[in-house]
Amino acid sequence: MENKLTHEASAFINFRDYKFQDSRSHGFRWVDVKYLRLPAESVVDRELLAALIGHEQFRDDYAGGGVLLEGSRHGPYWLRLVTPDVYEAVSREKGAHILWEWANQFGDVPAELEADLQQEVFDRLSAADHIYYLSGLGDEAIHDWGRVHDCFHEFVLIDRSAGRITLLVAADD
């Protein structure tokens, strides 16, 4: 199944690229979005999560190294410990609440950033048939330098009508 997901595009929103009222309010936050095309045949969500975890685009430590084909890390976690079972199905409302709370943790974001977040993050969240949130990993899953991320929020959005699975990571370092 791994080779049936095709990487389409990526988007990256760096909060430092926007003018905040207080110049420190960007908080070194960013959002990384990876879009992958779903396979033509019908596949259950658990198999899609497994295929995503097995995809090369998932091998990203989100700490500047980018995608490493032989990588053993995913964000702050050891890749081998990320399985479909550690993803929790969440509602659109819960996903939006988590992301807006994170985005506005140092005060409201600038209007231009809010518009970009709406387009790349929240519109996609609203369109998703199913939303999964990476949770359930304890401290033992954090790799040797994984604590470089102060916050790490990961969502997988499955939008069957668009034929797309979206890996959305919102973090700060």
mmCIF file of all heavy atoms in Angstrom, residues 51-93:
data_model
loop_
_atom_site.group_PDB
_atom_site.id
_atom_site.type_symbol
_atom_site.label_atom_id
_atom_site.label_comp_id
_atom_site.label_asym_id
_atom_site.label_seq_id
_atom_site.Cartn_x
_atom_site.Cartn_y
_atom_site.Cartn_z
ATOM 1 N N ALA A 51 -0.244 3.476 5.435
ATOM 2 C CA ALA A 51 0.444 3.857 4.197
ATOM 3 C C ALA A 51 1.136 5.203 4.358
ATOM 4 O O ALA A 51 2.261 5.391 3.884
ATOM 5 C CB ALA A 51 -0.546 3.905 3.037
ATOM 6 N N LEU A 52 0.490 6.132 5.036
ATOM 7 C CA LEU A 52 1.107 7.440 5.274
ATOM 8 C C LEU A 52 2.367 7.288 6.120
ATOM 9 O O LEU A 52 3.414 7.855 5.801
ATOM 10 C CB LEU A 52 0.112 8.388 5.952
ATOM 11 C CG LEU A 52 0.661 9.763 6.314
ATOM 12 C CD1 LEU A 52 1.045 10.543 5.059
ATOM 13 C CD2 LEU A 52 -0.368 10.537 7.136
ATOM 14 N N ILE A 53 2.271 6.514 7.187
ATOM 15 C CA ILE A 53 3.427 6.299 8.063
ATOM 16 C C ILE A 53 4.567 5.652 7.284
ATOM 17 O O ILE A 53 5.740 5.949 7.521
ATOM 18 C CB ILE A 53 3.020 5.444 9.289
ATOM 19 C CG1 ILE A 53 2.064 6.254 10.184
ATOM 20 C CG2 ILE A 53 4.238 4.977 10.074
ATOM 21 C CD1 ILE A 53 1.321 5.423 11.218
ATOM 22 N N GLY A 54 4.253 4.803 6.333
ATOM 23 C CA GLY A 54 5.277 4.153 5.527
ATOM 24 C C GLY A 54 5.804 4.993 4.375
ATOM 25 O O GLY A 54 6.783 4.632 3.729
ATOM 26 N N HIS A 55 5.181 6.131 4.112
ATOM 27 C CA HIS A 55 5.574 6.974 2.986
ATOM 28 C C HIS A 55 6.826 7.780 3.325
ATOM 29 O O HIS A 55 7.023 8.213 4.458
ATOM 30 C CB HIS A 55 4.421 7.920 2.629
ATOM 31 C CG HIS A 55 4.553 8.535 1.276
ATOM 32 N ND1 HIS A 55 5.349 9.629 1.040
ATOM 33 C CD2 HIS A 55 4.005 8.192 0.089
ATOM 34 C CE1 HIS A 55 5.270 9.948 -0.240
ATOM 35 N NE2 HIS A 55 4.462 9.085 -0.842
ATOM 36 N N GLU A 56 7.664 7.999 2.319
ATOM 37 C CA GLU A 56 8.901 8.756 2.540
ATOM 38 C C GLU A 56 8.652 10.156 3.086
ATOM 39 O O GLU A 56 9.452 10.675 3.870
ATOM 40 C CB GLU A 56 9.722 8.830 1.255
ATOM 41 C CG GLU A 56 9.068 9.641 0.166
ATOM 42 C CD GLU A 56 9.844 9.627 -1.144
ATOM 43 O OE1 GLU A 56 10.502 8.624 -1.452
ATOM 44 O OE2 GLU A 56 9.760 10.631 -1.856
ATOM 45 N N GLN A 57 7.547 10.799 2.721
ATOM 46 C CA GLN A 57 7.266 12.151 3.215
ATOM 47 C C GLN A 57 7.024 12.182 4.719
ATOM 48 O O GLN A 57 7.089 13.233 5.338
ATOM 49 C CB GLN A 57 6.063 12.751 2.483
ATOM 50 C CG GLN A 57 6.341 13.118 1.045
ATOM 51 C CD GLN A 57 7.367 14.234 0.939
ATOM 52 O OE1 GLN A 57 7.309 15.233 1.645
ATOM 53 N NE2 GLN A 57 8.334 14.057 0.055
ATOM 54 N N PHE A 58 6.762 11.040 5.308
ATOM 55 C CA PHE A 58 6.531 10.956 6.751
ATOM 56 C C PHE A 58 7.846 10.961 7.524
ATOM 57 O O PHE A 58 7.857 11.209 8.719
ATOM 58 C CB PHE A 58 5.725 9.687 7.061
ATOM 59 C CG PHE A 58 5.034 9.706 8.381
ATOM 60 C CD1 PHE A 58 3.850 10.396 8.554
ATOM 61 C CD2 PHE A 58 5.560 9.017 9.466
ATOM 62 C CE1 PHE A 58 3.197 10.415 9.768
ATOM 63 C CE2 PHE A 58 4.912 9.015 10.692
ATOM 64 C CZ PHE A 58 3.733 9.719 10.839
ATOM 65 N N ARG A 59 8.952 10.701 6.850
ATOM 66 C CA ARG A 59 10.261 10.634 7.498
ATOM 67 C C ARG A 59 10.873 12.033 7.570
ATOM 68 O O ARG A 59 11.850 12.338 6.916
ATOM 69 C CB ARG A 59 11.167 9.684 6.741
ATOM 70 C CG ARG A 59 10.774 8.251 6.920
ATOM 71 C CD ARG A 59 11.463 7.336 5.932
ATOM 72 N NE ARG A 59 11.308 5.952 6.256
ATOM 73 C CZ ARG A 59 10.147 5.282 6.249
ATOM 74 N NH1 ARG A 59 9.046 5.914 5.944
ATOM 75 N NH2 ARG A 59 10.095 4.003 6.559
ATOM 76 N N ASP A 60 10.268 12.846 8.387
ATOM 77 C CA ASP A 60 10.677 14.246 8.533
ATOM 78 C C ASP A 60 10.777 14.537 10.019
ATOM 79 O O ASP A 60 9.822 14.295 10.763
ATOM 80 C CB ASP A 60 9.623 15.153 7.869
ATOM 81 C CG ASP A 60 10.094 16.576 7.667
ATOM 82 O OD1 ASP A 60 10.940 17.044 8.453
ATOM 83 O OD2 ASP A 60 9.591 17.221 6.736
ATOM 84 N N ASP A 61 11.925 15.039 10.442
ATOM 85 C CA ASP A 61 12.081 15.353 11.867
ATOM 86 C C ASP A 61 11.573 16.756 12.200
ATOM 87 O O ASP A 61 11.501 17.129 13.355
ATOM 88 C CB ASP A 61 13.531 15.190 12.319
ATOM 89 C CG ASP A 61 14.510 16.063 11.544
ATOM 90 O OD1 ASP A 61 14.128 17.137 11.045
ATOM 91 O OD2 ASP A 61 15.680 15.663 11.437
ATOM 92 N N TYR A 62 11.217 17.524 11.171
ATOM 93 C CA TYR A 62 10.688 18.882 11.331
ATOM 94 C C TYR A 62 11.620 19.768 12.157
ATOM 95 O O TYR A 62 11.176 20.631 12.891
ATOM 96 C CB TYR A 62 9.278 18.859 11.929
ATOM 97 C CG TYR A 62 8.283 18.174 11.042
ATOM 98 C CD1 TYR A 62 7.877 16.869 11.295
ATOM 99 C CD2 TYR A 62 7.770 18.802 9.920
ATOM 100 C CE1 TYR A 62 6.980 16.222 10.464
ATOM 101 C CE2 TYR A 62 6.869 18.165 9.071
ATOM 102 C CZ TYR A 62 6.480 16.879 9.356
ATOM 103 O OH TYR A 62 5.599 16.244 8.527
ATOM 104 N N ALA A 63 12.900 19.517 12.018
ATOM 105 C CA ALA A 63 13.888 20.317 12.736
ATOM 106 C C ALA A 63 14.970 20.824 11.790
ATOM 107 O O ALA A 63 16.088 21.079 12.205
ATOM 108 C CB ALA A 63 14.498 19.495 13.867
ATOM 109 N N GLY A 64 14.621 20.944 10.513
ATOM 110 C CA GLY A 64 15.550 21.501 9.546
ATOM 111 C C GLY A 64 16.180 20.494 8.612
ATOM 112 O O GLY A 64 16.756 20.870 7.597
ATOM 113 N N GLY A 65 16.086 19.222 8.922
ATOM 114 C CA GLY A 65 16.705 18.211 8.076
ATOM 115 C C GLY A 65 15.869 17.819 6.874
ATOM 116 O O GLY A 65 16.377 17.226 5.934
ATOM 117 N N GLY A 66 14.581 18.117 6.923
ATOM 118 C CA GLY A 66 13.696 17.758 5.829
ATOM 119 C C GLY A 66 13.395 16.271 5.818
ATOM 120 O O GLY A 66 13.589 15.570 6.801
ATOM 121 N N VAL A 67 12.927 15.792 4.686
ATOM 122 C CA VAL A 67 12.578 14.386 4.528
ATOM 123 C C VAL A 67 13.860 13.593 4.318
ATOM 124 O O VAL A 67 14.659 13.901 3.446
ATOM 125 C CB VAL A 67 11.622 14.195 3.322
ATOM 126 C CG1 VAL A 67 11.390 12.717 3.040
ATOM 127 C CG2 VAL A 67 10.310 14.916 3.571
ATOM 128 N N LEU A 68 14.042 12.577 5.151
ATOM 129 C CA LEU A 68 15.209 11.708 5.049
ATOM 130 C C LEU A 68 14.721 10.306 4.707
ATOM 131 O O LEU A 68 14.047 9.665 5.518
ATOM 132 C CB LEU A 68 15.986 11.688 6.371
ATOM 133 C CG LEU A 68 16.485 13.048 6.854
ATOM 134 C CD1 LEU A 68 17.047 12.940 8.261
ATOM 135 C CD2 LEU A 68 17.529 13.596 5.898
ATOM 136 N N LEU A 69 15.036 9.826 3.514
ATOM 137 C CA LEU A 69 14.514 8.546 3.041
ATOM 138 C C LEU A 69 14.788 7.395 4.000
ATOM 139 O O LEU A 69 13.977 6.491 4.137
ATOM 140 C CB LEU A 69 15.063 8.226 1.656
ATOM 141 C CG LEU A 69 14.697 9.232 0.560
ATOM 142 C CD1 LEU A 69 15.268 8.805 -0.768
ATOM 143 C CD2 LEU A 69 13.196 9.417 0.481
ATOM 144 N N GLU A 70 15.925 7.413 4.662
ATOM 145 C CA GLU A 70 16.273 6.355 5.618
ATOM 146 C C GLU A 70 16.112 6.848 7.051
ATOM 147 O O GLU A 70 16.659 6.256 7.974
ATOM 148 C CB GLU A 70 17.716 5.884 5.379
ATOM 149 C CG GLU A 70 17.957 5.329 3.985
ATOM 150 C CD GLU A 70 17.076 4.127 3.661
ATOM 151 O OE1 GLU A 70 16.848 3.290 4.556
ATOM 152 O OE2 GLU A 70 16.600 4.039 2.512
ATOM 153 N N GLY A 71 15.360 7.922 7.239
ATOM 154 C CA GLY A 71 15.204 8.527 8.565
ATOM 155 C C GLY A 71 14.528 7.611 9.566
ATOM 156 O O GLY A 71 13.705 6.765 9.219
ATOM 157 N N SER A 72 14.885 7.802 10.827
ATOM 158 C CA SER A 72 14.305 7.009 11.915
ATOM 159 C C SER A 72 13.467 7.855 12.860
ATOM 160 O O SER A 72 13.003 7.370 13.879
ATOM 161 C CB SER A 72 15.427 6.311 12.697
ATOM 162 O OG SER A 72 16.300 7.281 13.262
ATOM 163 N N ARG A 73 13.283 9.135 12.491
ATOM 164 C CA ARG A 73 12.533 10.054 13.344
ATOM 165 C C ARG A 73 11.350 10.641 12.586
ATOM 166 O O ARG A 73 11.395 10.846 11.380
ATOM 167 C CB ARG A 73 13.433 11.185 13.811
ATOM 168 C CG ARG A 73 14.556 10.737 14.716
ATOM 169 C CD ARG A 73 15.543 11.885 14.990
ATOM 170 N NE ARG A 73 16.594 11.479 15.875
ATOM 171 C CZ ARG A 73 17.735 10.908 15.461
ATOM 172 N NH1 ARG A 73 17.943 10.706 14.181
ATOM 173 N NH2 ARG A 73 18.643 10.548 16.334
ATOM 174 N N HIS A 74 10.306 10.933 13.337
ATOM 175 C CA HIS A 74 9.150 11.660 12.814
ATOM 176 C C HIS A 74 8.816 12.715 13.852
ATOM 177 O O HIS A 74 8.356 12.388 14.951
ATOM 178 C CB HIS A 74 7.962 10.740 12.578
ATOM 179 C CG HIS A 74 6.733 11.497 12.183
ATOM 180 N ND1 HIS A 74 6.608 12.084 10.935
ATOM 181 C CD2 HIS A 74 5.617 11.823 12.868
ATOM 182 C CE1 HIS A 74 5.444 12.716 10.881
ATOM 183 N NE2 HIS A 74 4.830 12.563 12.048
ATOM 184 N N GLY A 75 9.083 13.988 13.498
ATOM 185 C CA GLY A 75 8.898 15.040 14.487
ATOM 186 C C GLY A 75 9.733 14.701 15.706
ATOM 187 O O GLY A 75 10.882 14.290 15.585
ATOM 188 N N PRO A 76 9.159 14.817 16.907
ATOM 189 C CA PRO A 76 9.922 14.520 18.116
ATOM 190 C C PRO A 76 9.972 13.026 18.463
ATOM 191 O O PRO A 76 10.557 12.640 19.466
ATOM 192 C CB PRO A 76 9.154 15.288 19.198
ATOM 193 C CG PRO A 76 7.751 15.323 18.705
ATOM 194 C CD PRO A 76 7.856 15.408 17.199
ATOM 195 N N TYR A 77 9.367 12.179 17.630
ATOM 196 C CA TYR A 77 9.188 10.770 17.975
ATOM 197 C C TYR A 77 10.073 9.840 17.157
ATOM 198 O O TYR A 77 10.427 10.133 16.019
ATOM 199 C CB TYR A 77 7.720 10.360 17.749
ATOM 200 C CG TYR A 77 6.758 11.240 18.482
ATOM 201 C CD1 TYR A 77 5.887 12.077 17.789
ATOM 202 C CD2 TYR A 77 6.732 11.273 19.876
ATOM 203 C CE1 TYR A 77 5.011 12.911 18.465
ATOM 204 C CE2 TYR A 77 5.857 12.107 20.558
ATOM 205 C CZ TYR A 77 4.993 12.924 19.846
ATOM 206 O OH TYR A 77 4.146 13.750 20.513
ATOM 207 N N TRP A 78 10.367 8.700 17.748
ATOM 208 C CA TRP A 78 10.996 7.622 17.000
ATOM 209 C C TRP A 78 9.961 7.094 16.026
ATOM 210 O O TRP A 78 8.841 6.766 16.415
ATOM 211 C CB TRP A 78 11.476 6.508 17.915
ATOM 212 C CG TRP A 78 12.654 6.889 18.762
ATOM 213 C CD1 TRP A 78 12.666 7.057 20.117
ATOM 214 C CD2 TRP A 78 13.979 7.141 18.312
ATOM 215 N NE1 TRP A 78 13.927 7.417 20.534
ATOM 216 C CE2 TRP A 78 14.759 7.465 19.444
ATOM 217 C CE3 TRP A 78 14.600 7.140 17.055
ATOM 218 C CZ2 TRP A 78 16.114 7.777 19.351
ATOM 219 C CZ3 TRP A 78 15.952 7.447 16.969
ATOM 220 C CH2 TRP A 78 16.692 7.756 18.110
ATOM 221 N N LEU A 79 10.299 7.020 14.772
ATOM 222 C CA LEU A 79 9.385 6.592 13.720
ATOM 223 C C LEU A 79 8.794 5.213 14.004
ATOM 224 O O LEU A 79 7.601 4.990 13.793
ATOM 225 C CB LEU A 79 10.114 6.602 12.372
ATOM 226 C CG LEU A 79 9.320 6.155 11.163
ATOM 227 C CD1 LEU A 79 8.154 7.109 10.905
ATOM 228 C CD2 LEU A 79 10.213 6.084 9.940
ATOM 229 N N ARG A 80 9.581 4.302 14.511
ATOM 230 C CA ARG A 80 9.111 2.934 14.749
ATOM 231 C C ARG A 80 7.966 2.869 15.766
ATOM 232 O O ARG A 80 7.239 1.882 15.827
ATOM 233 C CB ARG A 80 10.272 2.037 15.187
ATOM 234 C CG ARG A 80 10.782 2.320 16.579
ATOM 235 C CD ARG A 80 11.956 1.421 16.963
ATOM 236 N NE ARG A 80 12.345 1.625 18.338
ATOM 237 C CZ ARG A 80 13.080 2.638 18.779
ATOM 238 N NH1 ARG A 80 13.546 3.551 17.926
ATOM 239 N NH2 ARG A 80 13.373 2.752 20.064
ATOM 240 N N LEU A 81 7.794 3.920 16.559
ATOM 241 C CA LEU A 81 6.744 3.928 17.583
ATOM 242 C C LEU A 81 5.476 4.641 17.139
ATOM 243 O O LEU A 81 4.498 4.699 17.884
ATOM 244 C CB LEU A 81 7.287 4.539 18.878
ATOM 245 C CG LEU A 81 8.472 3.769 19.489
ATOM 246 C CD1 LEU A 81 9.005 4.499 20.715
ATOM 247 C CD2 LEU A 81 8.075 2.344 19.832
ATOM 248 N N VAL A 82 5.491 5.188 15.926
ATOM 249 C CA VAL A 82 4.289 5.835 15.379
ATOM 250 C C VAL A 82 3.547 4.787 14.556
ATOM 251 O O VAL A 82 4.053 4.297 13.555
ATOM 252 C CB VAL A 82 4.649 7.058 14.508
ATOM 253 C CG1 VAL A 82 3.376 7.702 13.971
ATOM 254 C CG2 VAL A 82 5.469 8.069 15.296
ATOM 255 N N THR A 83 2.352 4.443 15.015
ATOM 256 C CA THR A 83 1.521 3.434 14.356
ATOM 257 C C THR A 83 0.115 4.000 14.174
ATOM 258 O O THR A 83 -0.230 5.006 14.820
ATOM 259 C CB THR A 83 1.438 2.147 15.204
ATOM 260 O OG1 THR A 83 0.727 2.451 16.415
ATOM 261 C CG2 THR A 83 2.823 1.594 15.525
ATOM 262 N N PRO A 84 -0.712 3.385 13.361
ATOM 263 C CA PRO A 84 -2.090 3.869 13.224
ATOM 264 C C PRO A 84 -2.840 3.922 14.561
ATOM 265 O O PRO A 84 -3.717 4.763 14.749
ATOM 266 C CB PRO A 84 -2.730 2.860 12.266
ATOM 267 C CG PRO A 84 -1.588 2.384 11.432
ATOM 268 C CD PRO A 84 -0.429 2.313 12.390
ATOM 269 N N ASP A 85 -2.469 3.071 15.504
ATOM 270 C CA ASP A 85 -3.157 3.014 16.791
ATOM 271 C C ASP A 85 -2.943 4.254 17.658
ATOM 272 O O ASP A 85 -3.713 4.471 18.601
ATOM 273 C CB ASP A 85 -2.715 1.784 17.586
ATOM 274 C CG ASP A 85 -3.143 0.494 16.915
ATOM 275 O OD1 ASP A 85 -4.158 0.511 16.181
ATOM 276 O OD2 ASP A 85 -2.459 -0.527 17.105
ATOM 277 N N VAL A 86 -1.914 5.045 17.386
ATOM 278 C CA VAL A 86 -1.665 6.226 18.229
ATOM 279 C C VAL A 86 -2.384 7.470 17.704
ATOM 280 O O VAL A 86 -2.230 8.554 18.268
ATOM 281 C CB VAL A 86 -0.153 6.500 18.423
ATOM 282 C CG1 VAL A 86 0.512 5.331 19.152
ATOM 283 C CG2 VAL A 86 0.541 6.787 17.104
ATOM 284 N N TYR A 87 -3.171 7.302 16.660
ATOM 285 C CA TYR A 87 -3.975 8.406 16.137
ATOM 286 C C TYR A 87 -5.390 8.303 16.695
ATOM 287 O O TYR A 87 -5.995 7.240 16.675
ATOM 288 C CB TYR A 87 -4.017 8.381 14.604
ATOM 289 C CG TYR A 87 -2.740 8.853 13.980
ATOM 290 C CD1 TYR A 87 -1.708 7.963 13.723
ATOM 291 C CD2 TYR A 87 -2.561 10.198 13.667
ATOM 292 C CE1 TYR A 87 -0.521 8.398 13.156
ATOM 293 C CE2 TYR A 87 -1.381 10.634 13.099
ATOM 294 C CZ TYR A 87 -0.360 9.728 12.852
ATOM 295 O OH TYR A 87 0.806 10.165 12.299
ATOM 296 N N GLU A 88 -5.892 9.424 17.167
ATOM 297 C CA GLU A 88 -7.244 9.510 17.722
ATOM 298 C C GLU A 88 -8.137 10.222 16.717
ATOM 299 O O GLU A 88 -7.773 11.288 16.207
ATOM 300 C CB GLU A 88 -7.177 10.318 19.025
ATOM 301 C CG GLU A 88 -8.491 10.731 19.596
ATOM 302 C CD GLU A 88 -8.364 11.773 20.703
ATOM 303 O OE1 GLU A 88 -7.233 12.182 21.055
ATOM 304 O OE2 GLU A 88 -9.418 12.183 21.200
ATOM 305 N N ALA A 89 -9.300 9.635 16.438
ATOM 306 C CA ALA A 89 -10.276 10.320 15.585
ATOM 307 C C ALA A 89 -10.838 11.500 16.383
ATOM 308 O O ALA A 89 -11.216 11.345 17.544
ATOM 309 C CB ALA A 89 -11.390 9.364 15.187
ATOM 310 N N VAL A 90 -10.834 12.689 15.768
ATOM 311 C CA VAL A 90 -11.370 13.884 16.429
ATOM 312 C C VAL A 90 -12.353 14.574 15.495
ATOM 313 O O VAL A 90 -12.317 14.395 14.280
ATOM 314 C CB VAL A 90 -10.258 14.875 16.863
ATOM 315 C CG1 VAL A 90 -9.336 14.244 17.891
ATOM 316 C CG2 VAL A 90 -9.458 15.381 15.680
ATOM 317 N N SER A 91 -13.214 15.378 16.079
ATOM 318 C CA SER A 91 -14.184 16.149 15.300
ATOM 319 C C SER A 91 -13.510 17.365 14.676
ATOM 320 O O SER A 91 -12.424 17.783 15.102
ATOM 321 C CB SER A 91 -15.324 16.612 16.205
ATOM 322 O OG SER A 91 -14.839 17.552 17.149
ATOM 323 N N ARG A 92 -14.167 17.954 13.695
ATOM 324 C CA ARG A 92 -13.670 19.196 13.096
ATOM 325 C C ARG A 92 -13.539 20.274 14.167
ATOM 326 O O ARG A 92 -12.577 21.029 14.186
ATOM 327 C CB ARG A 92 -14.624 19.673 12.006
ATOM 328 C CG ARG A 92 -14.612 18.857 10.758
ATOM 329 C CD ARG A 92 -15.622 19.401 9.736
ATOM 330 N NE ARG A 92 -15.677 18.546 8.586
ATOM 331 C CZ ARG A 92 -16.568 17.574 8.432
ATOM 332 N NH1 ARG A 92 -17.485 17.358 9.342
ATOM 333 N NH2 ARG A 92 -16.534 16.821 7.350
ATOM 334 N N GLU A 93 -14.537 20.331 15.042
ATOM 335 C CA GLU A 93 -14.544 21.361 16.087
ATOM 336 C C GLU A 93 -13.356 21.202 17.034
ATOM 337 O O GLU A 93 -12.705 22.187 17.376
ATOM 338 C CB GLU A 93 -15.867 21.308 16.880
ATOM 339 C CG GLU A 93 -17.100 21.661 16.070
ATOM 340 C CD GLU A 93 -17.594 20.518 15.161
ATOM 341 O OE1 GLU A 93 -17.197 19.343 15.363
ATOM 342 O OE2 GLU A 93 -18.360 20.818 14.227
#
